[in-house]
Amino acid sequence: KDPLCLYQDGTVGYAGDKEVGTREPIAIVVTEKTATEKGMAIALKNASDFALFDAVGLMHWSRISTQSDFSDMKGYEYTYTTVAYNDNYYTYTGETFPTVSPGESVYEGSTDANFPAYYDAAHYPVTATGTNVGKWFLPSLGQWKVALMKLGKLKDSDFPTIDENSYGGEFGTATWDGEKVSKYFTDAGGDLKLTPSGYNFYHISGTRKGRPFGLTQYQMAVGLYKTKISWTADDYQEIGAAVRPFVYF
């Protein structure tokens, strides 16, 4: 059975339920809303196809440091609060600890984002009319896991263990039917760009894997191919990836 869509009015339904111009889908549901928990959905399109994680960090030293495993469900908090900032970085450099969240942070006197991936997710230009629909955010590794288990039918055992060796390129893979999942998005009026074989095109997560001394952080991302999913991590700040926002409802 096809997954449910989140509509702009905050309701859910199938892709075929849309009414052009009046009731349009904006996301694919990956967790349904309950009496006690909000639902979660993945946007129909990328906020950007390429965005840096940290635009001005010191090469290998990131201003962002987060929980680093597949149970990390804090993408919203990383985007809209200051909890993701790396205390070790600011202590070492002497820079002032930020008071503005990564999703809103721009260079002083400029409109250019300090943390483009977070910023692009937070400013995804799709507006909902339903008051139950929250703000778009950059998903964490755990939130990507929820989406891939729901849409791609992955099992918990398909996800690699993240340890001190989980960096420097691809460190884990799983099989899936990427074309089937991509069709869910096109049927709803969106798209999911799959990575061609032999190319590196990743979707970024809001999760950073830290090394023991706390300055070097590895950006975690997922590659979505036709027949496989791959996980990658890199510590270079200039490495960028596609931004696919998530939203609570």
Side-chain angles (χ1 to χ4, degrees), residues 8-52:
Q8 95 281 0
D9 61 1
T11 61
V12 298
Y14 293 102
D17 298 335
K18 65 182 177 183
E19 300 169 12
V20 178
T22 58
R23 186 171 181 258
E24 300 274 1
I26 60 172
I28 302 291
V29 174
V30 297
T31 304
E32 293 188 44
K33 183 178 181 179
T34 69
T36 57
E37 299 287 339
K38 292 180 179 180
M40 187 171 69
I42 178 174
L44 292 183
K45 297 184 178 183
N46 290 339
S48 59
D49 287 338
F50 181 89
L52 299 176

Side-chain angles (χ1 to χ4, degrees), residues 146-211:
V146 169
L148 296 173
M149 291 183 75
K150 172 67 175 180
L151 303 180
K153 307 304 180 186
L154 272 68
K155 304 181 297 296
D156 189 68
S157 58
D158 290 324
F159 294 85
T161 299
I162 297 176
D163 56 26
E164 65 274 9
N165 298 314
S166 304
Y167 67 90
E170 187 177 279
F171 64 86
T173 63
T175 58
W176 81 328
D177 187 344
E179 291 183 315
K180 180 179 181 180
V181 175
S182 181
K183 189 174 184 299
Y184 296 150
F185 290 86
T186 55
D187 286 350
D191 62 64
L192 183 66
K193 297 175 181 177
L194 300 175
T195 304
S197 179
Y199 287 81
N200 294 324
F201 177 79
Y202 294 98
H203 283 79
I204 202 167
S205 80
T207 297
R208 296 283 287 184
K209 178 190 180 297
R211 294 189 71 179

Side-chain angles (χ1 to χ4, degrees), residues 19-236:
E19 300 169 12
V20 178
T22 58
R23 186 171 181 258
E24 300 274 1
I26 60 172
I28 302 291
V29 174
V30 297
T31 304
E32 293 188 44
K33 183 178 181 179
T34 69
T36 57
E37 299 287 339
K38 292 180 179 180
M40 187 171 69
I42 178 174
L44 292 183
K45 297 184 178 183
N46 290 339
S48 59
D49 287 338
F50 181 89
L52 299 176
F53 193 89
D54 183 344
V56 296
L58 296 175
M59 193 66 165
H60 298 281
W61 297 351
S62 178
R63 297 178 292 174
I64 298 289
S65 178
T66 73
Q67 179 183 339
S68 56
D69 55 58
F70 283 107
S71 65
D72 181 3
M73 297 291 289
K74 299 175 183 175
Y76 184 92
E77 289 83 352
Y78 297 156
T79 306
Y80 290 108
T81 74
T82 60
V83 299
Y85 290 125
N86 187 355
D87 289 324
N88 290 320
Y89 174 93
Y90 290 97
T91 299
Y92 182 84
T93 62
E95 294 179 21
T96 301
F97 193 88
T99 58
V100 178
S101 71
E104 300 295 340
S105 180
V106 296
Y107 297 146
E108 186 175 353
S110 171
T111 58
D112 294 330
N114 275 307
F115 306 96
Y118 286 108
Y119 188 91
D120 288 355
H123 293 82
Y124 181 56
V126 173
T127 303
T129 57
T131 57
N132 61 312
V133 181
K135 296 187 290 187
W136 299 101
F137 61 89
L138 184 66
S140 62
L141 211 55
Q143 287 158 333
W144 266 113
K145 177 179 179 179
V146 169
L148 296 173
M149 291 183 75
K150 172 67 175 180
L151 303 180
K153 307 304 180 186
L154 272 68
K155 304 181 297 296
D156 189 68
S157 58
D158 290 324
F159 294 85
T161 299
I162 297 176
D163 56 26
E164 65 274 9
N165 298 314
S166 304
Y167 67 90
E170 187 177 279
F171 64 86
T173 63
T175 58
W176 81 328
D177 187 344
E179 291 183 315
K180 180 179 181 180
V181 175
S182 181
K183 189 174 184 299
Y184 296 150
F185 290 86
T186 55
D187 286 350
D191 62 64
L192 183 66
K193 297 175 181 177
L194 300 175
T195 304
S197 179
Y199 287 81
N200 294 324
F201 177 79
Y202 294 98
H203 283 79
I204 202 167
S205 80
T207 297
R208 296 283 287 184
K209 178 190 180 297
R211 294 189 71 179
F213 55 84
L215 286 174
T216 300
Q217 305 289 321
Y218 292 96
Q219 167 190 319
M220 311 295 287
V222 55
L224 305 177
Y225 297 81
K226 287 184 178 180
T227 59
K228 77 169 185 177
I229 290 170
S230 70
W231 302 98
T232 185
D234 205 302
D235 62 338
Y236 285 92

